[in-house]
Amino acid sequence: MSDLNDLYGDVILEHYKRPRTFKLIPDATHKAAGANPLCGDHIQVFLKMDGEKIADIGFMGNGCAISRAAASIMTQELIGKTRAEAEAVRAKYQAMVTREAGKPWEGGDLGKLEIFAGVAEFPVRVKCATLAWHALEAALKGKGETVSTE
Ligand code: ZN
């Protein structure tokens, strides 16, 4: 069992303090909000789609280090990707953070997102790490509503 402090690595803390894409996109074509009542995290995701491509993406909201860093890194990783590519990354990321604790992640390359692989050891943190991704999914489906992890 790893220490919770290991989970808050430098990259996560850096993204928490200075999220790269923390912005509202006024002419967003898709948006949705996510709430994780268990932890008090609220994340809004904004997308500007150019056809099938994510031309711009940003997020706003408050939450713990994991939820904000996850949103920050998610938006950085997805900009320029197509809807189908984003969905494939989302599914793989979800599989990584919900895999059986103690098992190494062997499900494929997730680049920078692999810093969240340790979240699988802390089930209560999985909702924090996936909140922005749930909002992304809702935004892409055009629901425009608040999704809750509860
Ligand atoms: Zn949280």
mmCIF file of all heavy atoms in Angstrom, residues 86-123:
data_model
loop_
_atom_site.group_PDB
_atom_site.id
_atom_site.type_symbol
_atom_site.label_atom_id
_atom_site.label_comp_id
_atom_site.label_asym_id
_atom_site.label_seq_id
_atom_site.Cartn_x
_atom_site.Cartn_y
_atom_site.Cartn_z
ATOM 1 N N ALA A 86 -10.897 11.210 -27.910
ATOM 2 C CA ALA A 86 -11.118 11.622 -26.522
ATOM 3 C C ALA A 86 -11.880 10.539 -25.762
ATOM 4 O O ALA A 86 -11.560 10.218 -24.617
ATOM 5 C CB ALA A 86 -11.892 12.945 -26.482
ATOM 6 N N GLU A 87 -12.862 9.945 -26.410
ATOM 7 C CA GLU A 87 -13.658 8.892 -25.774
ATOM 8 C C GLU A 87 -12.784 7.661 -25.499
ATOM 9 O O GLU A 87 -12.904 7.024 -24.448
ATOM 10 C CB GLU A 87 -14.866 8.541 -26.659
ATOM 11 C CG GLU A 87 -15.707 7.369 -26.184
ATOM 12 C CD GLU A 87 -16.145 7.450 -24.718
ATOM 13 O OE1 GLU A 87 -16.446 8.563 -24.215
ATOM 14 O OE2 GLU A 87 -16.169 6.400 -24.059
ATOM 15 N N ALA A 88 -11.878 7.353 -26.418
ATOM 16 C CA ALA A 88 -10.987 6.200 -26.236
ATOM 17 C C ALA A 88 -10.045 6.442 -25.052
ATOM 18 O O ALA A 88 -9.815 5.544 -24.242
ATOM 19 C CB ALA A 88 -10.192 5.949 -27.518
ATOM 20 N N VAL A 89 -9.521 7.664 -24.935
ATOM 21 C CA VAL A 89 -8.639 8.003 -23.811
ATOM 22 C C VAL A 89 -9.429 7.929 -22.512
ATOM 23 O O VAL A 89 -8.952 7.390 -21.511
ATOM 24 C CB VAL A 89 -8.013 9.412 -23.995
ATOM 25 C CG1 VAL A 89 -7.210 9.809 -22.760
ATOM 26 C CG2 VAL A 89 -7.116 9.461 -25.230
ATOM 27 N N ARG A 90 -10.657 8.437 -22.530
ATOM 28 C CA ARG A 90 -11.487 8.433 -21.330
ATOM 29 C C ARG A 90 -11.728 7.003 -20.830
ATOM 30 O O ARG A 90 -11.597 6.713 -19.646
ATOM 31 C CB ARG A 90 -12.832 9.114 -21.595
ATOM 32 C CG ARG A 90 -13.636 9.405 -20.325
ATOM 33 C CD ARG A 90 -15.108 9.676 -20.609
ATOM 34 N NE ARG A 90 -15.777 8.510 -21.154
ATOM 35 C CZ ARG A 90 -16.158 7.460 -20.417
ATOM 36 N NH1 ARG A 90 -15.964 7.434 -19.119
ATOM 37 N NH2 ARG A 90 -16.746 6.429 -21.004
ATOM 38 N N ALA A 91 -12.055 6.115 -21.745
ATOM 39 C CA ALA A 91 -12.340 4.724 -21.372
ATOM 40 C C ALA A 91 -11.093 4.056 -20.782
ATOM 41 O O ALA A 91 -11.168 3.321 -19.790
ATOM 42 C CB ALA A 91 -12.840 3.954 -22.593
ATOM 43 N N LYS A 92 -9.940 4.336 -21.373
ATOM 44 C CA LYS A 92 -8.693 3.733 -20.914
ATOM 45 C C LYS A 92 -8.309 4.281 -19.532
ATOM 46 O O LYS A 92 -7.889 3.538 -18.645
ATOM 47 C CB LYS A 92 -7.593 4.053 -21.937
ATOM 48 C CG LYS A 92 -6.498 2.996 -21.993
ATOM 49 C CD LYS A 92 -5.341 3.478 -22.837
ATOM 50 C CE LYS A 92 -5.417 2.994 -24.264
ATOM 51 N NZ LYS A 92 -4.145 3.295 -24.987
ATOM 52 N N TYR A 93 -8.481 5.592 -19.364
ATOM 53 C CA TYR A 93 -8.169 6.246 -18.085
ATOM 54 C C TYR A 93 -9.066 5.683 -16.973
ATOM 55 O O TYR A 93 -8.603 5.375 -15.874
ATOM 56 C CB TYR A 93 -8.375 7.748 -18.249
ATOM 57 C CG TYR A 93 -8.195 8.563 -16.990
ATOM 58 C CD1 TYR A 93 -6.922 9.007 -16.616
ATOM 59 C CD2 TYR A 93 -9.280 8.919 -16.197
ATOM 60 C CE1 TYR A 93 -6.753 9.763 -15.467
ATOM 61 C CE2 TYR A 93 -9.116 9.675 -15.054
ATOM 62 C CZ TYR A 93 -7.857 10.101 -14.694
ATOM 63 O OH TYR A 93 -7.687 10.855 -13.550
ATOM 64 N N GLN A 94 -10.360 5.536 -17.302
ATOM 65 C CA GLN A 94 -11.322 4.979 -16.346
ATOM 66 C C GLN A 94 -10.897 3.568 -15.927
ATOM 67 O O GLN A 94 -10.938 3.224 -14.740
ATOM 68 C CB GLN A 94 -12.717 4.951 -17.001
ATOM 69 C CG GLN A 94 -13.839 4.391 -16.131
ATOM 70 C CD GLN A 94 -14.353 5.397 -15.107
ATOM 71 O OE1 GLN A 94 -14.236 6.598 -15.314
ATOM 72 N NE2 GLN A 94 -14.910 4.919 -14.013
ATOM 73 N N ALA A 95 -10.459 2.788 -16.894
ATOM 74 C CA ALA A 95 -10.007 1.415 -16.599
ATOM 75 C C ALA A 95 -8.765 1.445 -15.704
ATOM 76 O O ALA A 95 -8.626 0.635 -14.795
ATOM 77 C CB ALA A 95 -9.710 0.675 -17.905
ATOM 78 N N MET A 96 -7.892 2.409 -15.943
ATOM 79 C CA MET A 96 -6.657 2.500 -15.158
ATOM 80 C C MET A 96 -6.952 2.834 -13.695
ATOM 81 O O MET A 96 -6.422 2.179 -12.795
ATOM 82 C CB MET A 96 -5.731 3.563 -15.754
ATOM 83 C CG MET A 96 -4.422 3.751 -14.970
ATOM 84 S SD MET A 96 -3.382 5.047 -15.672
ATOM 85 C CE MET A 96 -4.261 6.526 -15.133
ATOM 86 N N VAL A 97 -7.782 3.845 -13.452
ATOM 87 C CA VAL A 97 -7.992 4.269 -12.065
ATOM 88 C C VAL A 97 -8.950 3.355 -11.297
ATOM 89 O O VAL A 97 -9.024 3.442 -10.078
ATOM 90 C CB VAL A 97 -8.445 5.760 -11.951
ATOM 91 C CG1 VAL A 97 -7.377 6.690 -12.480
ATOM 92 C CG2 VAL A 97 -9.778 6.010 -12.614
ATOM 93 N N THR A 98 -9.674 2.492 -12.008
ATOM 94 C CA THR A 98 -10.594 1.586 -11.316
ATOM 95 C C THR A 98 -10.091 0.136 -11.345
ATOM 96 O O THR A 98 -10.822 -0.775 -10.982
ATOM 97 C CB THR A 98 -12.017 1.642 -11.925
ATOM 98 O OG1 THR A 98 -11.934 1.353 -13.321
ATOM 99 C CG2 THR A 98 -12.654 3.003 -11.726
ATOM 100 N N ARG A 99 -8.832 -0.049 -11.769
ATOM 101 C CA ARG A 99 -8.316 -1.429 -11.793
ATOM 102 C C ARG A 99 -8.114 -1.918 -10.352
ATOM 103 O O ARG A 99 -8.114 -1.108 -9.414
ATOM 104 C CB ARG A 99 -7.006 -1.510 -12.589
ATOM 105 C CG ARG A 99 -5.802 -0.977 -11.828
ATOM 106 C CD ARG A 99 -4.587 -0.840 -12.696
ATOM 107 N NE ARG A 99 -3.414 -0.539 -11.888
ATOM 108 C CZ ARG A 99 -3.133 0.645 -11.356
ATOM 109 N NH1 ARG A 99 -3.954 1.668 -11.547
ATOM 110 N NH2 ARG A 99 -2.052 0.810 -10.630
ATOM 111 N N GLU A 100 -7.907 -3.196 -10.222
ATOM 112 C CA GLU A 100 -7.722 -3.796 -8.897
ATOM 113 C C GLU A 100 -6.487 -3.212 -8.217
ATOM 114 O O GLU A 100 -5.415 -3.126 -8.830
ATOM 115 C CB GLU A 100 -7.557 -5.302 -9.074
ATOM 116 C CG GLU A 100 -7.818 -6.091 -7.816
ATOM 117 C CD GLU A 100 -7.560 -7.576 -8.032
ATOM 118 O OE1 GLU A 100 -7.964 -8.086 -9.087
ATOM 119 O OE2 GLU A 100 -6.951 -8.182 -7.145
ATOM 120 N N ALA A 101 -6.634 -2.800 -6.948
ATOM 121 C CA ALA A 101 -5.513 -2.214 -6.207
ATOM 122 C C ALA A 101 -4.355 -3.201 -6.127
ATOM 123 O O ALA A 101 -4.568 -4.412 -6.006
ATOM 124 C CB ALA A 101 -5.969 -1.816 -4.813
ATOM 125 N N GLY A 102 -3.158 -2.665 -6.234
ATOM 126 C CA GLY A 102 -1.978 -3.517 -6.131
ATOM 127 C C GLY A 102 -1.495 -4.074 -7.450
ATOM 128 O O GLY A 102 -0.381 -4.551 -7.561
ATOM 129 N N LYS A 103 -2.345 -3.983 -8.479
ATOM 130 C CA LYS A 103 -1.969 -4.467 -9.812
ATOM 131 C C LYS A 103 -1.341 -3.336 -10.611
ATOM 132 O O LYS A 103 -1.861 -2.221 -10.606
ATOM 133 C CB LYS A 103 -3.208 -4.958 -10.567
ATOM 134 C CG LYS A 103 -3.833 -6.215 -9.997
ATOM 135 C CD LYS A 103 -3.402 -7.446 -10.804
ATOM 136 C CE LYS A 103 -3.844 -8.746 -10.159
ATOM 137 N NZ LYS A 103 -5.259 -9.017 -10.416
ATOM 138 N N PRO A 104 -0.238 -3.606 -11.300
ATOM 139 C CA PRO A 104 0.323 -2.552 -12.144
ATOM 140 C C PRO A 104 -0.597 -2.264 -13.332
ATOM 141 O O PRO A 104 -1.387 -3.130 -13.719
ATOM 142 C CB PRO A 104 1.654 -3.142 -12.626
ATOM 143 C CG PRO A 104 1.521 -4.612 -12.487
ATOM 144 C CD PRO A 104 0.515 -4.863 -11.383
ATOM 145 N N TRP A 105 -0.505 -1.069 -13.864
ATOM 146 C CA TRP A 105 -1.321 -0.705 -15.036
ATOM 147 C C TRP A 105 -0.618 -1.213 -16.278
ATOM 148 O O TRP A 105 0.509 -0.820 -16.580
ATOM 149 C CB TRP A 105 -1.516 0.806 -15.104
ATOM 150 C CG TRP A 105 -2.065 1.288 -16.421
ATOM 151 C CD1 TRP A 105 -1.462 2.108 -17.322
ATOM 152 C CD2 TRP A 105 -3.365 0.973 -16.972
ATOM 153 N NE1 TRP A 105 -2.291 2.327 -18.399
ATOM 154 C CE2 TRP A 105 -3.458 1.645 -18.217
ATOM 155 C CE3 TRP A 105 -4.437 0.191 -16.545
ATOM 156 C CZ2 TRP A 105 -4.593 1.553 -19.023
ATOM 157 C CZ3 TRP A 105 -5.564 0.098 -17.361
ATOM 158 C CH2 TRP A 105 -5.637 0.777 -18.578
ATOM 159 N N GLU A 106 -1.297 -2.103 -16.994
ATOM 160 C CA GLU A 106 -0.704 -2.686 -18.206
ATOM 161 C C GLU A 106 -1.663 -2.563 -19.381
ATOM 162 O O GLU A 106 -1.582 -3.317 -20.340
ATOM 163 C CB GLU A 106 -0.355 -4.165 -17.962
ATOM 164 C CG GLU A 106 0.781 -4.323 -16.958
ATOM 165 C CD GLU A 106 0.952 -5.751 -16.453
ATOM 166 O OE1 GLU A 106 -0.024 -6.524 -16.508
ATOM 167 O OE2 GLU A 106 2.051 -6.076 -15.997
ATOM 168 N N GLY A 107 -2.561 -1.591 -19.261
ATOM 169 C CA GLY A 107 -3.611 -1.485 -20.279
ATOM 170 C C GLY A 107 -3.271 -0.572 -21.449
ATOM 171 O O GLY A 107 -4.133 -0.284 -22.269
ATOM 172 N N GLY A 108 -2.042 -0.109 -21.520
ATOM 173 C CA GLY A 108 -1.667 0.736 -22.653
ATOM 174 C C GLY A 108 -1.162 2.091 -22.222
ATOM 175 O O GLY A 108 -1.365 2.508 -21.083
ATOM 176 N N ASP A 109 -0.505 2.758 -23.144
ATOM 177 C CA ASP A 109 0.128 4.040 -22.866
ATOM 178 C C ASP A 109 -0.914 5.147 -22.687
ATOM 179 O O ASP A 109 -1.760 5.358 -23.541
ATOM 180 C CB ASP A 109 1.063 4.382 -24.034
ATOM 181 C CG ASP A 109 1.842 5.657 -23.762
ATOM 182 O OD1 ASP A 109 1.980 6.023 -22.578
ATOM 183 O OD2 ASP A 109 2.299 6.275 -24.735
ATOM 184 N N LEU A 110 -0.823 5.835 -21.562
ATOM 185 C CA LEU A 110 -1.714 6.976 -21.332
ATOM 186 C C LEU A 110 -0.923 8.265 -21.129
ATOM 187 O O LEU A 110 -1.476 9.272 -20.696
ATOM 188 C CB LEU A 110 -2.619 6.713 -20.130
ATOM 189 C CG LEU A 110 -3.935 5.982 -20.441
ATOM 190 C CD1 LEU A 110 -4.628 5.566 -19.174
ATOM 191 C CD2 LEU A 110 -4.860 6.856 -21.277
ATOM 192 N N GLY A 111 0.349 8.212 -21.461
ATOM 193 C CA GLY A 111 1.183 9.419 -21.376
ATOM 194 C C GLY A 111 1.170 10.014 -19.982
ATOM 195 O O GLY A 111 1.269 9.322 -18.971
ATOM 196 N N LYS A 112 0.990 11.332 -19.962
ATOM 197 C CA LYS A 112 1.018 12.090 -18.713
ATOM 198 C C LYS A 112 -0.071 11.644 -17.735
ATOM 199 O O LYS A 112 0.066 11.784 -16.518
ATOM 200 C CB LYS A 112 0.786 13.555 -19.072
ATOM 201 C CG LYS A 112 1.677 14.508 -18.341
ATOM 202 C CD LYS A 112 1.358 15.909 -18.832
ATOM 203 C CE LYS A 112 2.289 16.903 -18.180
ATOM 204 N NZ LYS A 112 1.944 18.278 -18.568
ATOM 205 N N LEU A 113 -1.158 11.117 -18.264
ATOM 206 C CA LEU A 113 -2.277 10.706 -17.415
ATOM 207 C C LEU A 113 -1.899 9.555 -16.484
ATOM 208 O O LEU A 113 -2.581 9.309 -15.497
ATOM 209 C CB LEU A 113 -3.471 10.294 -18.283
ATOM 210 C CG LEU A 113 -4.107 11.417 -19.093
ATOM 211 C CD1 LEU A 113 -5.037 10.858 -20.154
ATOM 212 C CD2 LEU A 113 -4.865 12.369 -18.179
ATOM 213 N N GLU A 114 -0.811 8.883 -16.792
ATOM 214 C CA GLU A 114 -0.400 7.742 -15.958
ATOM 215 C C GLU A 114 0.039 8.159 -14.559
ATOM 216 O O GLU A 114 0.164 7.315 -13.678
ATOM 217 C CB GLU A 114 0.693 6.935 -16.662
ATOM 218 C CG GLU A 114 0.126 6.175 -17.850
ATOM 219 C CD GLU A 114 1.127 5.239 -18.512
ATOM 220 O OE1 GLU A 114 2.215 5.026 -17.951
ATOM 221 O OE2 GLU A 114 0.813 4.743 -19.603
ATOM 222 N N ILE A 115 0.246 9.450 -14.335
ATOM 223 C CA ILE A 115 0.557 9.873 -12.957
ATOM 224 C C ILE A 115 -0.642 9.632 -12.028
ATOM 225 O O ILE A 115 -0.486 9.647 -10.824
ATOM 226 C CB ILE A 115 1.033 11.344 -12.849
ATOM 227 C CG1 ILE A 115 -0.048 12.318 -13.279
ATOM 228 C CG2 ILE A 115 2.325 11.566 -13.633
ATOM 229 C CD1 ILE A 115 0.310 13.758 -12.943
ATOM 230 N N PHE A 116 -1.827 9.367 -12.628
ATOM 231 C CA PHE A 116 -2.993 9.061 -11.806
ATOM 232 C C PHE A 116 -3.178 7.554 -11.583
ATOM 233 O O PHE A 116 -4.170 7.136 -10.991
ATOM 234 C CB PHE A 116 -4.270 9.662 -12.417
ATOM 235 C CG PHE A 116 -4.269 11.161 -12.401
ATOM 236 C CD1 PHE A 116 -3.919 11.879 -13.532
ATOM 237 C CD2 PHE A 116 -4.577 11.854 -11.239
ATOM 238 C CE1 PHE A 116 -3.881 13.264 -13.514
ATOM 239 C CE2 PHE A 116 -4.542 13.236 -11.214
ATOM 240 C CZ PHE A 116 -4.188 13.949 -12.349
ATOM 241 N N ALA A 117 -2.227 6.763 -12.044
ATOM 242 C CA ALA A 117 -2.348 5.307 -11.898
ATOM 243 C C ALA A 117 -2.464 4.914 -10.427
ATOM 244 O O ALA A 117 -3.179 3.981 -10.077
ATOM 245 C CB ALA A 117 -1.153 4.609 -12.549
ATOM 246 N N GLY A 118 -1.783 5.667 -9.535
ATOM 247 C CA GLY A 118 -1.797 5.352 -8.102
ATOM 248 C C GLY A 118 -3.141 5.562 -7.430
ATOM 249 O O GLY A 118 -3.370 5.081 -6.318
ATOM 250 N N VAL A 119 -4.038 6.278 -8.104
ATOM 251 C CA VAL A 119 -5.369 6.548 -7.540
ATOM 252 C C VAL A 119 -6.125 5.239 -7.288
ATOM 253 O O VAL A 119 -6.944 5.154 -6.370
ATOM 254 C CB VAL A 119 -6.159 7.490 -8.485
ATOM 255 C CG1 VAL A 119 -7.626 7.560 -8.104
ATOM 256 C CG2 VAL A 119 -5.555 8.885 -8.465
ATOM 257 N N ALA A 120 -5.820 4.219 -8.077
ATOM 258 C CA ALA A 120 -6.499 2.923 -7.918
ATOM 259 C C ALA A 120 -6.312 2.346 -6.514
ATOM 260 O O ALA A 120 -7.114 1.543 -6.056
ATOM 261 C CB ALA A 120 -6.000 1.932 -8.974
ATOM 262 N N GLU A 121 -5.251 2.779 -5.830
ATOM 263 C CA GLU A 121 -4.982 2.295 -4.473
ATOM 264 C C GLU A 121 -5.889 2.977 -3.434
ATOM 265 O O GLU A 121 -5.905 2.595 -2.272
ATOM 266 C CB GLU A 121 -3.517 2.573 -4.069
ATOM 267 C CG GLU A 121 -2.479 2.117 -5.083
ATOM 268 C CD GLU A 121 -2.418 0.594 -5.200
ATOM 269 O OE1 GLU A 121 -2.708 -0.095 -4.204
ATOM 270 O OE2 GLU A 121 -2.093 0.112 -6.297
ATOM 271 N N PHE A 122 -6.561 4.056 -3.855
ATOM 272 C CA PHE A 122 -7.381 4.849 -2.920
ATOM 273 C C PHE A 122 -8.785 5.015 -3.491
ATOM 274 O O PHE A 122 -9.101 6.048 -4.094
ATOM 275 C CB PHE A 122 -6.735 6.222 -2.702
ATOM 276 C CG PHE A 122 -5.317 6.145 -2.226
ATOM 277 C CD1 PHE A 122 -4.271 6.212 -3.125
ATOM 278 C CD2 PHE A 122 -5.034 5.973 -0.879
ATOM 279 C CE1 PHE A 122 -2.959 6.119 -2.696
ATOM 280 C CE2 PHE A 122 -3.720 5.879 -0.443
ATOM 281 C CZ PHE A 122 -2.681 5.951 -1.347
ATOM 282 N N PRO A 123 -9.632 3.992 -3.300
ATOM 283 C CA PRO A 123 -10.969 4.006 -3.931
ATOM 284 C C PRO A 123 -11.741 5.299 -3.711
ATOM 285 O O PRO A 123 -12.473 5.747 -4.598
ATOM 286 C CB PRO A 123 -11.679 2.824 -3.271
ATOM 287 C CG PRO A 123 -10.559 1.906 -2.884
ATOM 288 C CD PRO A 123 -9.398 2.785 -2.513
#
